[in-house]
Amino acid sequence: ELKVEQNPLFLSMQEGKNYTIYCNYSTTSDRLYWYRQDPGKSLESLFVLLSNGAVKQEGRLMASLDTKARLSTLHITAAVHDLSATYFCAPERGGGADGLTFGKGTHLIIQP
Amino acid sequence: GAVVSQHPSRVICKSGTSVKIECRSLDFQATTMFWYRQFPKQSLMLMATSNEGSKATYEQGVEKDKFLINHASLTLSTLTVTSAHPEDSSFYICSASVLNYGYTFGSGTRLTVV
């Protein structure tokens, strides 16, 4: 059974600071996804990481994947208030499109 | 592209009644649809996987007789919460697997059972 451990679960930081969210998973997975969720809303896709060493960047967010360590990171650079949200990592279950197992989420608050 | 339309967005029902939630793929054919449930301030948990034309596969601990899933066409999957009780109050989200794209999510349904 695929287990996902995400940390920290709660993060309060100031604008302009950098921080990293970590996502460890227990078994081999072909793909890993990162999502953003605003209160009361559904999920917004941020990144899909397909292979070992994959790195993707969009604005102030950068995600990476180390399949050997079963670790993905989401790095926030020079945080701004608009990035306040809950972030989920979700490795894909099984060997194909079998749905996702979500981490518990990181509730991120960025204060001016 | 790859949009999933989910309705209703909010529903309040009385305890003991049934509620149907619909998810439609608007511009693609969704062979497989996933249904997730999210309790307040918690993560998303996969409830079941539905494949067009066949019975849904439920995750351990999910009552298949309570959460009826129908995936009768390539563009429509429905989740019916039967004999709903307050503990079924949750945020329900559908998701479709899209070839070479990943997963696309519906906008979610906030169910409140009173």
Side-chain angles (χ1 to χ4, degrees):
Chain A
E1 179 188 349
L2 176 60
K3 294 187 185 299
V4 183
E5 189 174 310
Q6 193 174 332
N7 66 84
L9 299 181
F10 181 82
L11 178 58
S12 179
M13 55 192 293
Q14 289 189 318
E15 282 190 326
K17 300 291 187 182
N18 304 331
Y19 212 83
T20 301
I21 300 170
Y22 297 87
C23 175
N24 289 93
Y25 54 99
S26 61
T27 63
T28 301
S29 177
D30 289 344
R31 303 185 188 191
L32 188 139
Y33 297 79
W34 283 95
Y35 293 95
R36 168 182 172 147
Q37 186 178 39
D38 291 298
K41 304 291 186 182
S42 187
L43 300 180
E44 175 188 347
S45 179
L46 295 176
F47 301 106
V48 53
L49 303 169
L50 301 177
S51 61
N52 187 43
V55 177
K56 289 196 174 180
Q57 183 165 3
E58 182 72 35
R60 300 174 187 275
L61 302 178
M62 182 173 71
S64 67
L65 178 63
D66 181 343
T67 57
K68 293 180 181 178
R70 296 176 187 155
L71 169 68
S72 181
T73 62
L74 179 66
H75 186 73
I76 303 157
T77 302
V80 293
H81 178 68
D82 287 350
L83 291 179
S84 297
T86 299
Y87 293 85
F88 293 96
C89 68
E92 191 167 56
R93 292 152 45 109
D98 290 340
L100 303 173
T101 298
F102 284 83
K104 290 187 175 181
T106 297
H107 183 48
L108 176 63
I109 295 177
I110 300 170
Q111 299 175 355
Chain B
V3 175
V4 171
S5 175
Q6 184 172 348
H7 293 279
S9 58
R10 291 179 178 270
V11 58
I12 300 173
C13 71
K14 291 185 177 181
S15 187
T17 62
S18 297
V19 173
K20 180 185 283 188
I21 301 169
E22 291 189 351
C23 277
R24 294 180 183 273
S25 55
L26 298 185
D27 47 5
F28 67 102
Q29 293 181 330
T31 307
T32 303
M33 194 75 80
F34 304 93
W35 288 91
Y36 295 87
R37 178 170 55 183
Q38 184 180 32
F39 291 110
K41 298 191 185 302
Q42 294 190 24
S43 187
L44 283 77
M45 298 296 293
L46 181 65
M47 298 174 65
T49 302
S50 73
N51 293 292
E52 185 266 337
S54 62
K55 289 184 178 180
T57 303
Y58 291 82
E59 295 298 305
Q60 193 172 8
V62 177
E63 300 174 60
K64 62 180 181 181
D65 294 331
K66 181 169 186 62
F67 299 99
L68 300 180
I69 291 173
N70 185 285
H71 196 158
S73 78
L74 288 172
T75 58
L76 176 63
S77 178
T78 61
L79 168 68
T80 301
V81 183
T82 63
S83 187
H85 291 284
E87 57 264 31
D88 299 322
S89 298
S90 188
F91 192 49
Y92 293 87
I93 308 175
C94 62
S95 173
S97 171
V98 183
L99 187 64
N100 296 326
Y101 178 80
Y103 298 87
T104 185
F105 286 82
S107 54
T109 298
R110 175 79 55 196
L111 170 63
T112 303
V113 184
V114 297

